[in-house]
Amino acid sequence: MILALVVVLAVLVFVALTALGRGWLGWVLGAALVIAWWKWKLDAPPTPFWVVVGVLGLLAVVFGFKPVRRVVISGWAMKLVADALPKMSETERAALDAGTVWWDADLFSGSPQWKKLIDFRVAAPSSEERLFVDGAAHELAAMCPEHEIEARGDLSPEAWKFIRSKGFMGMIIPKRYGGLGFSAAANSAVIVKLSSRSVTAAVSVMVPNSLGPAELLLHYGTDEQKNHWLPRLANGTEIPCFALTEPGAGSDAASITSSGVVCRGTYEGREVLGMRLDWSKRYITLAPLATVIGLAFKLRDPEHLLGAEIELGITCALIPATTPGVTIGRRHDPLGVPFMNGPTEGHGVFVPLEAIIGGPKLAGHGWRMLMQCLSAGRGVSLPALSVGASQLAARIVGAHGTVREQFGLSIGRFEGVEEKLARIAGLTYLIDSGRRLTLGAIDAGEKPSVITAIMKCYATEAMRTVVNDGMDVLGGNGICRGPRNVLGSAYRAVPIGITVEGANILTRTMIVFGQGAIRCHPFVQREMQAVDARDVAAFDAAFFGHVSLVFKNSARAFLFSLGGRHLVGSPVSGAARGYYPRLERLATGFSLGADFAMATLGGQLKRKENLCGRLADALAHLYLGSAVLKRYYDGGAADRETACMRWAAEHALERTEHALDEFLRNLPNRPAAWLVRALVLPFGRCEHGPSDRRNSEVARGLLDDRPERLSISDGIYLPPASEPGLGRIEDALQHVLAATAARTKLKDAARAKKLAAHGSTELLDAAVLAGILTEAERKLVEAAERARADAVAVDAFTPEEYAARAG
């Protein structure tokens, strides 16, 4: 029995050492095998020591000597893996190949290199870009009060003219084509400012600068196409839309049925080789007023006019809206938010092959083009819109929490309201940190497709929570529509951000982890490529690298669970120091859990969407938590950010551990789940999120116009004090703060029964007469009460006015 235990222990030690890359042990222990054999021949029955040496030597030859290992182990393992892998379509392969991996790969490895993150430079907008954000973008925002746009059903003609003349539609187009040539950071900053004022204006500007004709032309267009279209798109002469979604193809965009057939036909009076197109698209932003339609369709060549292939595949082309057979102009009504959105149809539309973006040689390459562009663009527009709405909520709710009083106390002082305020501030800080880091990666040349999917999904979900919490705090002021209500429009628009560019349900369950498990894992994609190529040597290197990773993370996870995180160094000192090893512990657990899920479920994991979703939650919050620490470091660990940094980091840690716990509770292979839990969470969960004390600390930062409130909402548009809504409540806040000392004197005097008068005017008269207040203080209190009453008022309409609004 003892000998058996010794042998088993020796085998485990050997396999672990071999998996960790100590291949030289194969030669050393192989020599030991020869010695053991020789010893056996010369002596009597072998002693336990030599049995162990012999077993280890045999294993050394099999596992440590690569030529033997490839024959005995790797070839057999490759067949098993090939049978377990899911079948992948060409569109799935194109999606997997799109973009790059970045910090997400570090997190997937289980050993994030914090110095790499700390040393990464996040570029800020240039002085020219900052001038545009503070100038033209501010001016456009001033022209776009959302309640007026909703009443009109569109931006004003003056606003549209300003958008075109100032280059808003060409922010991503280089200057050599007449565009602004802005960075992703500047593009995002413009959208943050506009979305804090008007969702309609923000969407109208962001769509031409997101996935669409301009970006596709920049990356894939011919020189002739670029020279023709880009200057016209930059100055607004041409209004673009991009038509992808169909009644039967939403998130499953690859299943589009819009078609094109290569044929000969007449175009502008001459016979050319072209395509006859038919399509029916919906939910297309800017379609009702577009002058050029970017169209995705499946192209066929039944007469072999281009070559041997008949089914060429998804293709992208530019179709002038005036082409015979094109129908546009009708509008959808997306929850009353009046940005231009509607269907477009085409029947028998003939255009030359030169309409294909990139020319005829890129026929059938449309899906790859779309995936490559989306891999970066998804991280710019919707995260910016989410941050703009969240910053607006933080700004207005912080002011309302100070100005609005109930039971003689500012409502922001109640613990129930503090919980909402803390979540508003903390989540806003969280997603803004993710936005900034992602933009830094994009501007550095990365196209991090998994990270941008994380930002699209989790930023819009956080926005939903923030805006809902804001509406709870505002109460009736958030419900009654009109000029005074500035959060109601954002509330109605939330589901739009959740749905577009890939519905969040599918983005979470299929893209973030589904693609991330292959793209970001250090070895999985290499294993798959080796299987496809039937390359045993390449598979051997990837497979045993993978085995090494599992052993390494198992050991690390167990040490972490025993308190080893206290032995792990941190790249920083100060308030953020302790969060780095806590995130690293969970990154190790995530990597180990993901490997066990893939090992036990194989290709079936693709259909276990709840498990994939929980692993996506873990990966997403590891990334967002990393972004929080990076932002705090880059900001010089400013005191005004410390409370929010702590809240956001603790929230990310709790959400990550919760996701891992739920994953392990539901992993079908229970022995595997018990083993991973014993390594990762042997004593249960230890991350519990922000405490009540932390919530109170963060909530207080939003009240009384503190630096924390100003910092967390620094990207929004601030209207003048005379404007109903945010302008008036900001003005009221200043009046209330100016009168704080005088009101405290009044309360103290009333509590001491020095004042017996009732009613505000009588009370103030008595206070001045008794010398408790000066006349100047009395005026401060009166001004504060007038401003308070005006700030908490809601809009009301005559029957005629209401009928006009409804109409």
Side-chain angles (χ1 to χ4, degrees), residues 140-159 197-201 331 336-339 481-486 489 492 717 719-720 722-724 795 797 804-805:
L140 176 60
M143 301 168 68
C144 297
E146 190 74 345
H147 68 94
E148 292 183 7
I149 296 170
E150 290 177 356
R152 187 187 303 109
D154 190 10
L155 298 174
S156 68
E158 293 77 19
R197 173 66 160 177
S198 165
V199 174
T200 304
R331 294 181 64 177
V337 183
F339 61 89
R481 294 175 61 187
R484 294 175 180 273
N485 186 340
V486 295
S489 295
R492 294 196 307 280
Y717 168 78
S722 59
E723 184 174 297
D795 296 291
F797 308 96
R805 289 175 57 83

Side-chain angles (χ1 to χ4, degrees), residues 240-264:
C241 71
F242 189 76
L244 177 61
T245 305
E246 299 176 2
S251 295
D252 182 15
S255 65
I256 58 174
T257 59
S258 297
S259 63
V261 177
V262 179
C263 60
R264 296 190 180 278

Side-chain angles (χ1 to χ4, degrees), residues 495-582:
I496 300 169
I498 298 290
T499 302
V500 299
E501 290 191 6
N504 282 2
I505 293 174
L506 295 182
T507 299
R508 170 180 176 262
T509 57
M510 295 180 67
I511 298 178
V512 173
F513 182 76
Q515 292 185 12
I518 298 173
R519 287 302 314 277
C520 305
H521 194 284
F523 300 104
V524 168
Q525 192 168 28
R526 289 165 54 189
E527 289 169 327
M528 294 176 67
Q529 290 169 344
V531 167
D532 283 346
R534 301 184 183 278
D535 186 337
V536 176
F539 179 82
D540 176 83
F543 180 75
F544 279 92
H546 197 157
V547 172
S548 169
L549 181 70
V550 172
F551 274 101
K552 175 184 173 184
N553 282 334
S554 297
R556 282 169 52 84
F558 188 63
L559 289 174
F560 273 131
S561 68
L562 296 180
R565 67 183 175 86
H566 298 294
L567 304 177
V568 176
S570 174
V572 302
S573 58
R577 185 177 188 276
Y579 295 118
Y580 287 87
R582 288 162 71 180

Side-chain angles (χ1 to χ4, degrees), residues 601 608 610-611 614 658-670 673 677:
L601 290 168
K608 297 291 184 181
N610 288 335
L611 291 179
R614 292 177 183 116
H658 172 79
L660 293 177
D661 183 38
E662 289 298 304
F663 160 74
L664 292 173
R665 284 183 64 241
N666 291 278
L667 186 65
N669 189 311
R670 298 316 298 156
R677 184 177 291 279

Side-chain angles (χ1 to χ4, degrees), residues 154-198:
D154 190 10
L155 298 174
S156 68
E158 293 77 19
W160 275 117
K161 181 179 179 181
F162 190 84
I163 287 171
R164 288 169 165 148
S165 65
K166 296 298 181 180
F168 281 92
M169 306 195 84
M171 290 192 294
I172 66 169
I173 297 175
K175 291 182 178 180
R176 66 181 179 275
Y177 295 111
L180 297 178
F182 278 179
S183 63
N187 183 354
S188 177
V190 170
I191 302 305
V192 168
K193 186 171 289 272
L194 292 179
S195 60
S196 71
R197 173 66 160 177
S198 165

Side-chain angles (χ1 to χ4, degrees), residues 335-353:
L335 290 174
V337 183
F339 61 89
M340 287 290 174
N341 183 278
T344 173
E345 295 182 2
H347 301 287
V349 177
F350 182 81
V351 292
L353 287 177

